[in-house]
């Protein structure tokens, strides 16, 4: 993959989609290629969840969890090559991916008061990055609520088996049947829970759907970059993207 470079012009890209669709990997790679910041909005919910678990805050006490979201000292590192999360000055980036956080985070993400506070924080990061290099932001509601005015808005989808396979490789280092089954609840249950407060299965007006089921990571990255090239040529001239990716972007945008 080509080395990161400063974006020729700031650009804001929003990527939404279900669990295991490849949002994080694709968004980090796109940000690196564009030379922009990278924002994982889901990490903010995980950070609140982690803090509550560490300090024995009852996740069913919605008021108490919302107060944590308002008071927590949260710092997001936006370098796509090494995104980081600090809570109270402590680096917790790896802790946020622990199974106990993955199993419990929906209780935080479905708390509407928490969502309101964390969206405020997420928008602040986007607004700062918009004035500098630009940003690729990914996560639930990113295309419709967090950054509805993004230059490029993408709904990244994949079929169930592809999503389970990718998450299994990410979590267990294997995509065999037992590994996929072990991740099934995390992927599918979280989608069901989060769907009660967020729409991420159908593209809103102006949002382009990219189906990565049969695409490699690089092909998916190219597909998103092609959308950027078409929408904001000053950020990425079309000649920097393959012809096949541009054709795919044109077909996706026409639907």
């Amino acid at each position: 993959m080509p080395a990161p470079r400063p974006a020729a012009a700031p650009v804001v890209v929003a990527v939404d989609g279900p669990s295991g669709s490849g949002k994080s990997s694709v968004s980090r790679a796109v940000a690196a290629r564009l030379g922009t910041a990278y924002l994982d909005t889901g990490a903010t919910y995980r950070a609140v969840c982690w803090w509550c678990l560490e300090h024995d805050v009852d996740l069913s006490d919605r008021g108490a969890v919302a107060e944590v979201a308002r008071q927590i000292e949260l710092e997001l590192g936006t370098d796509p090559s090494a995104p980081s999360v600090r809570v109270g000055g402590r680096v917790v980036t790896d802790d946020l991916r622990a199974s106990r956080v993955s199993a419990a985070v929906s209780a935080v993400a479905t708390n509407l008061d928490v969502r309101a506070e964390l969206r405020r924080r997420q928008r602040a990061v986007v607004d700062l990055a918009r004035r500098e290099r630009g940003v690729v932001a990914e996560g639930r509601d990113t295309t419709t609520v967090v950054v509805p005015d993004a230059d490029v808005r993408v709904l990244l989808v994949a079929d169930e088996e592809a999503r389970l396979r990718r998450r299994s490789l990410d979590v267990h280092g294997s995509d065999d049947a037992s590994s996929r089954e072990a991740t099934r609840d995390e992927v599918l249950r979280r989608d069901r829970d989060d769907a009660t407060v967020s729409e991420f299965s159908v593209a809103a007006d102006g949002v382009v759907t990219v189906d990565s089921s049969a695409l490699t990571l690089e092909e998916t990255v190219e597909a998103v970059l092609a959308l950027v090239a078409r929408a904001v040529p000053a950020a990425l001239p079309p000649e920097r993207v393959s012809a096949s990716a541009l054709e795919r972007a044109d077909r996706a945008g026409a639907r």
Side-chain angles (χ1 to χ4, degrees):
M1 183 173 290
R5 67 180 186 88
V11 60
V12 178
V13 180
V15 182
D16 207 335
S19 299
S21 60
K23 295 189 302 296
S24 296
S25 298
V26 171
S27 296
R28 286 180 63 181
V30 169
R33 293 274 285 272
L34 291 172
T36 68
Y38 161 73
L39 173 62
D40 174 7
T41 63
T44 62
Y45 296 100
R46 286 177 174 269
V48 171
C49 182
W50 175 86
W51 198 99
C52 289
L53 293 174
E54 284 287 297
H55 296 85
D56 297 319
V57 176
D58 184 356
L59 294 179
S60 67
D61 186 339
R62 302 176 78 81
V65 177
E67 187 62 21
V68 169
R70 286 188 285 268
Q71 298 298 328
I72 192 173
E73 183 184 337
L74 179 60
E75 181 182 347
L76 301 172
T78 59
D79 180 350
S81 67
S84 62
V85 181
R86 289 178 179 268
V87 175
R90 172 179 169 179
V91 177
V92 297
T93 313
D94 293 336
D95 301 277
L96 302 189
R97 295 297 166 182
S99 296
R100 66 170 186 150
V101 175
S102 296
V105 69
S106 283
V108 174
T110 55
N111 184 320
L112 296 182
D113 289 335
V114 170
R115 294 187 76 81
E117 170 59 23
L118 294 185
R119 285 169 180 160
R120 182 190 67 78
R121 292 178 182 241
Q122 293 157 12
R123 289 187 189 113
V125 174
V126 170
D127 288 343
L128 177 61
R130 190 195 303 268
R131 295 192 295 270
E132 298 177 347
R133 298 174 295 157
V135 63
V136 178
E138 57 100 349
R140 307 285 203 229
D141 284 346
T142 308
T143 61
T144 55
V145 180
V146 181
V147 202
D149 60 344
D151 299 299
V152 177
R153 296 185 294 156
V154 178
L155 178 67
L156 184 61
V157 300
D159 61 42
E160 182 177 303
E161 285 307 308
R163 292 189 291 124
L164 289 173
R165 183 176 66 254
R166 291 167 184 168
R167 185 54 57 87
S168 296
L169 284 169
D170 183 44
V171 175
H172 301 288
S174 170
D175 65 347
D176 59 23
S178 61
S179 297
R180 290 199 302 274
E181 192 58 33
T183 60
R184 183 175 297 275
D185 176 70
E186 177 189 336
V187 172
L188 303 185
R189 178 187 53 78
R190 279 186 57 204
D191 280 353
R192 287 195 300 270
D193 291 346
D194 290 357
T196 64
V197 295
S198 176
E199 174 56 72
F200 49 84
S201 58
V202 178
D205 289 346
V207 178
V208 179
T209 299
V210 173
D211 189 337
S212 67
S213 301
L215 301 179
T216 65
L217 172 61
E218 176 60 20
E219 287 171 335
T220 309
V221 170
E222 282 272 311
V224 176
L225 288 172
L227 293 172
V228 174
R230 289 302 195 211
V232 190
L236 184 72
E239 58 267 22
R240 291 184 60 89
V241 187
S242 70
S244 60
L246 290 169
E247 291 173 4
R248 188 180 296 118
D250 289 341
R251 290 196 300 271
R255 287 198 289 269

